[in-house]
Structure formats: structure tokens, C-alpha cells
Amino acid sequence: MGFNVSFSKRKNEKFYLPGQEIKISRRSISTKSYTTENDNVSTCRARTWFTLCCFIAVYLALCIRVSYVCLGNGINIDTAISDQMAEDIFHFKNPVTRADIMDRNGEIIATSLPTVNLYANTKKIREPEEVAIKLNEIFPNDSYEYFLSRLNRKGAFIYLKRNLSPAQQSQVNNLGIPGLEFENCEKRIYPHKNLFAHVLGTTDVDNTGISGVEKSMNERLTTSTKPLYLSVDLGIQNQIRDELIAGVKQFNAAGGAAILMDVKNGQVIAMTSIPDYDPNENSKFGEREMFNFATKGIYEAGSVFKVFNTALSLESGKVKVTDRFDTSHHIQVHRLKVTDPHGSHGQLTPEDILVESSNIGSTLEIMRVGKKFQRKFLQSINMDKALTEFELPELAKPWFLSEKNWGETSMVTISYGYGISSTPLHIITAFSAIVNGGMYHQPTLLKNVKHKGKRVVSQKTSDSMRTLLRAVVTRGTGRRANVDGYQVMGKTGTADKLENGHYNHGKSISSFISAFPQSDPQYALLVVIDDPKASKETYGYTTAGWNAVPISRNIISLVAPQLNVRADFDLEKQKSIVDAAYKVKKQPL
Amino acid sequence: MGNIKTAMVVLWFMVTLVVALGSSVLKNKVQGLERRLATINNNIQKDIADIHVLKAEWSHYNTPERLRKLANEQLSLENAKPEQIINFSALHFNYENNDSEQSVRTDKKSLTTLVKAEAKKK
């Protein structure tokens, strides 16, 4: 049925009643008494019909749509909802709010687990003695008196026990005691226990970081649930820690620290300090266990500092690698008498000075250069300030003399590593710059952060230093660190411990700083042993060559293959091994 | 006119009835779907939490110490030594031409034996 409605008869000058001007064709609706022009009743009827039909049409359309939706596949959810709606519907949040921490390969090294706390609304608890007995049965580690004292307090929220296991929660639930309630929370877990103790730090009961990366990156970890990737490597860290523990035990030392750094960008691959602690344990640890020697331990590095002394001497242009220094006699600088512990060595080149670790030679070098250049150079490698950009809160400022106190004597003692104290992190970062071509990179613990380096020595000086440092390992005090194929270079250092303002000659800190391979240095390793003891194995020596060096050798031979450092073996020798293997294969026994 | 009017009213009622019925069915279906969605959402949420816990457990079971112990006990594997790494250039196999006739597959055991013998000699 259709309507043929028109307003063709409408005249502008004439007054029409509502609907009067609508003309409906007679052919469309046949009504005998229907007039369109002047009959008001007919006009009203027409309007009613029109409205009725409109309603019916709308209802029919609705009916068809509803039938279609109800009986068929009327709604395609992909197209029927907007992207925003889809995001609202399908967006799931991880119940754990504190982000995980990963190593450089994506292995979890810190995570949080959803757990519950048990609290009491003591207003609802009628018999606290009975409740305390039942709770004591479930939690035997906490005494009956503890629970009773908590339950006797007045309050709607009294903590009874934090971080319940699912089994404990179920047991408490089964008691059915009104007033015992649970609060959802999360607990920080460190699956590798002590391994990253000083790097990661720990959190308090409210899951707020209180030390280590947990503290320094607390905001990042709580505002984003995306994992935080560190530059450390789980496997390498484990190897280094194991070797360091074995070394500390073997030499009966008070402790030790080791850092492995990527020399090309300052990323720390492994960092450990012994003794350490298990951050999963809630109990309070001793000061020594909590102390991160790698970043906070200030010590006089001893002969390790001769690396910087030689580098700055070469960089100044006043000393050349071919120069010779007469070290046959001691040197008197004011009241200081500089001698070599192993006797005089005669004429020494800068390479020999490092190989023999000659204090006299270092003194002669720095006397050519002068204290101004020395101080400026040490400042350029950040030996005068804390490395505040490093992502740990446990940092120390080196003990660095003021310009006023930087006299002749200080200049001389600093040349062989006394009179200036710094942390292992300072030393390895500066050493990396010396061997990597001369670029100083700020150390970092983050995988995707690469600080722009600054030049501290020329490429030429860096190349010369590599040759000199390699000689220390091939024919000097670092001989025991010579791992075949990896062209290890480095420098040993043993310094008496400073206790209460006096040097204790019976106690020392020995260290060995190394890098490998010499042709294209990729990694630097620093091993520091605190107060090693002499033994039969070391023939009564406590110098670095007998403790820190063999530990370094063990570490390098284990981690270098894992780090894909290209070994530079004797090709002919390798071929003979392969040939022999081939023959064995062809002629089985 | 009267018949048409009656027919229209009946039609109206029928349409209203169908729409009402349809709406009711639709509402019912939507409620069912919403319940299902809520259940699925809840399950997914639980699964996410479970996966998180499992990842932590996986990490706990994959501590280097444990893996080393297992590899040593079950597979007799040890850390690779620097002298066990051979350069490609030391091998007879011509990789670029994929020369299979001249290819040499170095036997791990025999090579290790030789390396050990070399080390002993040292």
C-alpha cells in the first residue's frame, strides 16, 4: 500500500488547518466519503493513517532486525565494536604491578608473585585466645603470644601475617573465623638468590625498592609493567661469582669483587661482591654482606694505577715507548724514599716499567710530565667524582686530593697507586677507555642505554698501551692469566690496606685488571681480593700475581668462549689437530 | 475502512509482540554472552597470573647451578674450553662451494681426546 501525497494545491495566501493542505490521491485509498480539499475530518484521518503507517514501517524494520539478530549471526563482533571498545573488553592487566627485571638475554632475575596478607578486624573476634591457638597451629614459626597480643589490640586492620602461601590461606579460610580477612598483595622474588644481590638490591614489606636497581629504578618499575632489561648476563655472572667464591675460599680472603665490562659501550656484563646475601630472606644481614665493594669500596689500587700513569705519560708527549729510564737507584722526593720492592732493574722502557711494576720507573715518568697534567688527566677519567649516572644508589666518591694538597710527594705516590683511592667501578671504566681506542663511556647497568663517549687518550696512545699491557701478561706479573688464543693483557696491583690512618703491612688488597683480546679489545675484567692470606700454594706470597691473576685466568677461560670472543689460535696447530681427528675418524679403533 | 483498521491494529499488536519477544530473547542472549565474556575474562586473568607464577618457577628451575649439575650428570657436558674452539679456516670442508666429497665431520669425541692428550703433554 502506498500513498501519493502532494502539496500541489497549497496556496500561499490561503489559511490551512493542520493537515488540510495534504492531498491524498483517490486511487491510492478508496474511500467513498473521503474528500481531500475541504473536509477537516478527512484531513485528520489522513494524518492518522500516515502516522500509523510510519510507526508500522519502523516496527517492521525493528522486527526484521531483531529476528535477524536473534535467529541468525546478526552481530559480527569484529566490526560491530570500535577499537576502543575492543581494547576495553580485551585488555587484561597482569595482577602483578611491579615490573620484572630481566638479564640481557631475557632471563627473569627479579619478579613478583601475587600473594595475600592476613589481617584481623579485632572488633569481630570474640575469643582471641582460641583464635591465637588455631593460628599458632597453622603458623608454628610465630608464637601464640604474638598472635594473642595482636588480636588483643583494638582496630579494624591489624596485620597478623604477611605473604601467606596458597596452602596457608586455605587453612585460615577453613577456620571460618569472622574477623580474619585477607588483603591482596605481591611479594618480590629473586629466583637466583644471592647471584645478583648487590646489583638488584631488595624491597621492603611494601614492595618499595630500598637498595640496588630496585631502589634506583623504583619509579620505572612501578609505573610500567614492561620488564626492565639489564646489561648483566645470568650465565656469565654465575661463572664469575663461582670462581670468585672459590678464589676467596682458596686464599682465605676477607672478601672480593669482580666486574666484567663491555669496553666499547661501558655496559656491565657481570658485577659481584663477596660476601653477599640472599635478598629473598627477610632477616637483616650484616654490614659486610650488604656492602657492595664493586661500587662503594674505596681503596688504593696500588700498581694497577701505573696503567693510568703510563697512559698519561704517553699522552702528554713527554714520554715515548722507546725512552729508557734508569731505575738502578732509589729516588728521594722530600721525605719520601721511592724504591722497588724487588730490587733495582737498571734501564727500563715504559713497557719494562709495567712488566716489572717499577715504582722508580713510574716516578721518573711522572716527573717528566708534571702534576698539573697528571691531575687534569685523572679528572678526565672521573677519578675525582662519584659516577652518579650509574644505576645504583650504592656509590662512593673517590678520595681525591685538592689542588692545594697535590704536591710533589703526592704526585709521585699517585704515579704508583698510593695517595688516591677509588672504587673498582672507577678503575675498570677508566681502564676500558685506555684500551678501547681512547673513548671514555659512562658505565651502565641498562641494556639499551649507550652513553656517548668522550675521548680521553688518542688512538695511538691506546694502541701503545695495548702492546705494553700484553707484555705484562706474556712476560710480567700477569703471566698466570695468559689464556691461549685470547691475547689477554692486564696489570696487577697489590696495595697495603689503610687502617685507622696507617698502612697495615700485614694486610693487602690485590687486584688484576685485564682486557681481551689485545687485537680488538671487547671485554675488561677487574678482580679484587680483599686481604688474601699466604699459603704453601702461593709460596708465602700475597701479591696479585698469586691470587687475583689465576682467578682472572679461570674466569676468562670460562667466559670468553661463551661471550663469542674470537679466539686467535695458531692455525697450523689447529689444522694438525683436525687432520689427526679426521684420521681417527677414518680408521676407527 | 473498518477491516483495514482492525487489520492494522492486529498487525501492530503482532509486530509489538514480536519486537517485545525478540528484545527479550536478544537481552537474554546478550546477558548470556556477557556472562560468558566475564567468565572468559576471569579465566584469562587467572591464566595470566598463573603464567606469571610459572615463569617465576621456570626461572627458579633454570638457575645456572642446577642446569650445570643436570648437564653434567645426565649429559656429561662440561664448560667449553678455549682450546676446543676451532676456526673454520682450520677445517677441510669447503663451505663456500659446499664440497660434500671433501667435507670432514670432525668427531667430537676423537677431537676432545686429542685435545686432552695435547693438554697432558703440556
Side-chain angles (χ1 to χ4, degrees):
Chain A
M1 191 170 72
F3 287 92
N4 188 5
V5 184
S6 72
F7 297 91
S8 58
K9 293 276 179 181
R10 185 182 174 114
K11 292 174 182 172
N12 287 337
E13 67 275 10
K14 194 180 172 183
F15 174 77
Y16 289 94
L17 287 166
Q20 192 179 2
E21 74 278 20
I22 299 171
K23 181 194 172 186
I24 299 175
S25 169
R26 280 172 184 272
R27 269 182 294 174
S28 304
I29 304 165
S30 62
T31 47
K32 285 177 184 177
S33 58
Y34 196 83
T35 57
T36 56
E37 294 299 322
N38 302 314
D39 186 357
N40 291 341
V41 177
S42 302
T43 307
C44 288
R45 275 182 184 163
R47 197 173 64 172
T48 309
W49 274 108
F50 178 71
T51 313
L52 183 69
C53 291
C54 285
F55 269 98
I56 288 171
V58 170
Y59 264 82
L60 271 174
L62 266 176
C63 189
I64 291 164
R65 180 64 184 157
V66 167
S67 307
Y68 179 64
V69 168
C70 292
L71 304 175
N73 295 323
I75 295 176
N76 184 352
I77 206 154
D78 290 335
T79 53
I81 58 171
S82 68
D83 289 348
Q84 184 57 45
M85 280 172 72
E87 198 178 302
D88 292 342
I89 293 169
F90 299 114
H91 182 67
F92 302 103
K93 275 190 173 178
N94 193 327
V96 173
T97 53
R98 193 174 179 87
D100 291 348
I101 302 177
M102 309 282 203
D103 83 336
R104 64 189 300 113
N105 303 314
E107 296 286 341
I108 294 173
I109 53 176
T111 186
S112 298
L113 293 180
T115 179
V116 290
N117 293 336
L118 174 65
Y119 70 92
N121 183 350
T122 50
K123 289 174 189 169
K124 293 183 184 174
I125 293 175
R126 291 183 181 174
E127 295 169 348
E129 292 81 7
E130 199 178 318
V131 176
I133 290 169
K134 287 179 177 173
L135 287 175
N136 181 232
E137 284 170 6
I138 298 172
F139 307 104
N141 288 341
D142 296 296
S143 64
Y144 161 79
E145 288 76 18
Y146 164 78
F147 285 117
L148 189 62
S149 67
R150 305 290 287 181
L151 292 167
N152 280 332
R153 288 188 195 177
K154 286 181 181 177
F157 199 96
I158 307 286
Y159 273 122
L160 294 175
K161 185 83 182 166
R162 286 178 187 268
N163 301 317
L164 271 65
S165 68
Q168 288 171 332
Q169 186 188 5
S170 172
Q171 281 177 294
V172 175
N173 230 353
N174 290 340
L175 293 177
I177 299 170
L180 291 184
E181 290 167 30
F182 300 106
E183 176 199 35
N184 287 327
C185 64
E186 56 188 74
K187 181 176 167 56
R188 202 64 167 162
I189 297 290
Y190 305 93
H192 304 288
K193 299 177 182 173
N194 299 39
L195 190 55
F196 290 101
H198 290 115
V199 173
L200 296 174
T202 187
T203 57
D204 62 10
V205 286
D206 297 319
N207 234 13
T208 306
I210 52 170
S211 61
V213 169
E214 294 280 18
K215 184 181 181 183
S216 60
M217 304 297 285
N218 190 53
E219 197 181 334
R220 156 68 180 78
L221 292 166
T222 49
T223 51
S224 169
T225 51
K226 285 185 178 173
L228 175 69
Y229 283 84
L230 298 189
S231 60
V232 291
D233 186 304
L234 174 64
I236 304 294
Q237 174 88 3
N238 180 257
Q239 299 274 17
I240 291 180
R241 182 173 173 272
D242 282 358
E243 288 303 322
L244 189 66
I245 288 173
V248 166
K249 195 178 170 188
Q250 184 185 351
F251 302 112
N252 199 17
I259 305 174
L260 182 74
M261 180 178 276
D262 186 334
V263 299
K264 297 192 173 172
N265 51 32
Q267 287 185 358
V268 172
I269 308 297
M271 176 188 278
T272 187
S273 179
I274 303 295
D276 52 20
Y277 62 98
D278 182 355
N280 293 306
E281 301 289 332
N282 291 326
S283 54
K284 287 195 172 180
F285 301 98
E287 212 172 287
R288 188 71 180 88
E289 283 82 8
M290 298 288 282
F291 185 75
N292 185 2
F293 192 86
T295 58
K296 215 175 176 182
I298 300 180
Y299 76 113
E300 287 177 317
S303 296
V304 163
F305 238 75
K306 287 171 187 161
V307 175
F308 308 124
N309 188 57
T310 308
L312 73 91
S313 302
L314 294 175
E315 186 66 12
S316 70
K318 292 176 181 172
V319 173
K320 289 175 185 166
V321 286
T322 50
D323 287 350
R324 287 182 174 274
F325 297 89
D326 183 10
T327 64
S328 52
H329 305 288
H330 74 266
I331 298 174
Q332 193 74 38
V333 183
H334 303 299
R335 289 192 298 172
L336 176 74
K337 185 181 176 184
V338 182
T339 56
D340 278 337
H342 308 297
S344 65
H345 302 287
Q347 297 283 329
L348 296 180
T349 61
E351 181 177 310
D352 297 330
I353 289 170
L354 282 179
V355 168
E356 301 294 343
S357 199
S358 168
N359 293 344
I360 300 170
S362 298
T363 304
L364 291 169
E365 281 180 334
I366 201 61
M367 286 174 100
R368 273 201 200 174
V369 177
K371 61 182 181 182
K372 271 193 178 178
F373 191 87
Q374 182 192 39
R375 193 166 191 276
K376 197 179 164 190
F377 179 82
L378 294 176
Q379 280 176 321
S380 76
I381 54 173
N382 290 341
M383 286 294 173
D384 62 331
K385 51 180 164 288
L387 299 168
T388 49
E389 286 183 43
F390 193 65
E391 296 84 7
L392 284 185
E394 294 84 15
L395 296 172
K397 190 183 172 189
W399 195 70
F400 196 76
L401 288 172
S402 65
E403 198 164 1
K404 188 183 160 190
N405 294 327
W406 199 287
E408 287 278 309
T409 313
S410 301
M411 178 189 79
V412 169
T413 57
I414 287 168
S415 75
Y416 52 84
Y418 285 91
I420 185 169
S421 299
S422 50
T423 67
L425 186 66
H426 279 89
I427 293 167
I428 195 169
T429 311
F431 181 79
S432 297
I434 302 295
V435 296
N436 73 0
M439 299 299 287
Y440 184 95
H441 297 279
Q442 286 287 346
T444 181
L445 268 173
L446 300 181
K447 187 186 176 187
N448 298 319
V449 172
K450 285 175 185 169
H451 292 291
K452 203 179 171 185
K454 63 169 181 178
R455 183 160 291 283
V456 288
V457 291
S458 65
Q459 182 71 48
K460 189 185 166 192
T461 304
S462 180
D463 291 344
S464 303
M465 285 304 297
R466 286 183 207 169
T467 313
L468 268 53
L469 290 166
R470 176 70 182 142
V472 176
V473 175
T474 52
R475 60 186 184 91
T477 48
R479 278 191 301 275
R480 288 178 188 82
N482 197 12
V483 182
D484 265 355
Y486 289 104
Q487 302 170 332
V488 180
M489 49 186 176
K491 180 74 190 83
T492 55
T494 310
D496 291 336
K497 277 184 94 169
L498 194 61
E499 287 182 345
N500 304 322
H502 297 284
Y503 287 108
N504 184 340
H505 298 298
K507 288 183 177 180
S508 63
I509 296 182
S510 59
S511 35
F512 181 61
I513 182 114
S514 56
F516 54 94
Q518 181 209 348
S519 54
D520 179 24
Q522 292 178 41
Y523 297 98
L525 173 72
L526 173 61
V527 172
V528 183
I529 305 294
D530 181 10
D531 191 18
K533 309 290 187 304
S535 65
K536 279 184 182 176
E537 289 172 347
T538 63
Y539 301 98
Y541 289 107
T542 57
T543 49
W546 292 95
N547 41 59
V549 173
I551 294 172
S552 298
R553 185 208 141 81
N554 293 345
I555 290 173
I556 293 169
S557 59
L558 280 172
V559 303
Q562 292 179 44
L563 289 164
N564 288 330
V565 178
R566 194 178 169 186
D568 183 29
F569 290 120
D570 182 351
L571 206 60
E572 288 306 314
K573 189 181 163 189
Q574 279 198 343
K575 274 184 176 168
S576 65
I577 292 174
V578 174
D579 281 344
Y582 181 51
K583 280 173 192 167
V584 170
K585 177 81 179 170
K586 289 203 100 179
Q587 297 168 350
L589 294 169
Chain B
M1 176 65 192
N3 289 340
I4 290 172
K5 195 177 176 183
T6 311
M8 293 306 288
V9 169
V10 170
L11 184 64
W12 184 321
F13 271 109
M14 282 180 71
V15 167
T16 308
L17 201 67
V18 168
V19 168
L21 198 69
S23 301
S24 172
V25 171
L26 182 66
K27 190 183 173 189
N28 203 23
K29 269 200 165 186
V30 168
Q31 280 179 339
L33 284 171
E34 275 180 350
R35 271 196 296 274
R36 211 177 135 206
L37 181 67
T39 313
I40 291 169
N41 281 351
N42 203 20
N43 288 344
I44 291 173
Q45 199 75 32
K46 276 184 183 172
D47 287 347
I48 288 173
D50 288 348
I51 289 168
H52 190 91
V53 174
L54 286 171
K55 276 183 181 173
E57 282 185 20
W58 180 248
S59 176
H60 176 71
Y61 282 117
N62 280 299
T63 52
E65 274 174 27
R66 185 173 173 273
L67 289 182
R68 193 182 304 132
K69 193 182 164 194
L70 286 175
N72 197 272
E73 285 176 4
Q74 310 293 329
L75 304 168
S76 304
L77 286 177
E78 286 178 5
N79 284 316
K81 289 168 188 154
E83 56 266 28
Q84 287 175 298
I85 295 168
I86 303 286
N87 286 351
F88 277 145
S89 44
L91 299 174
H92 295 268
F93 185 80
N94 189 345
Y95 288 93
E96 285 181 2
N97 299 327
N98 195 20
D99 192 351
S100 57
E101 281 184 14
Q102 289 184 3
S103 68
V104 177
R105 288 189 176 181
T106 49
D107 182 69
K108 260 190 179 178
K109 279 185 181 174
S110 55
L111 197 58
T112 314
T113 317
L114 278 166
V115 169
K116 279 183 181 172
E118 284 253 332
K120 272 187 182 177
K121 273 183 191 174
K122 276 184 183 177

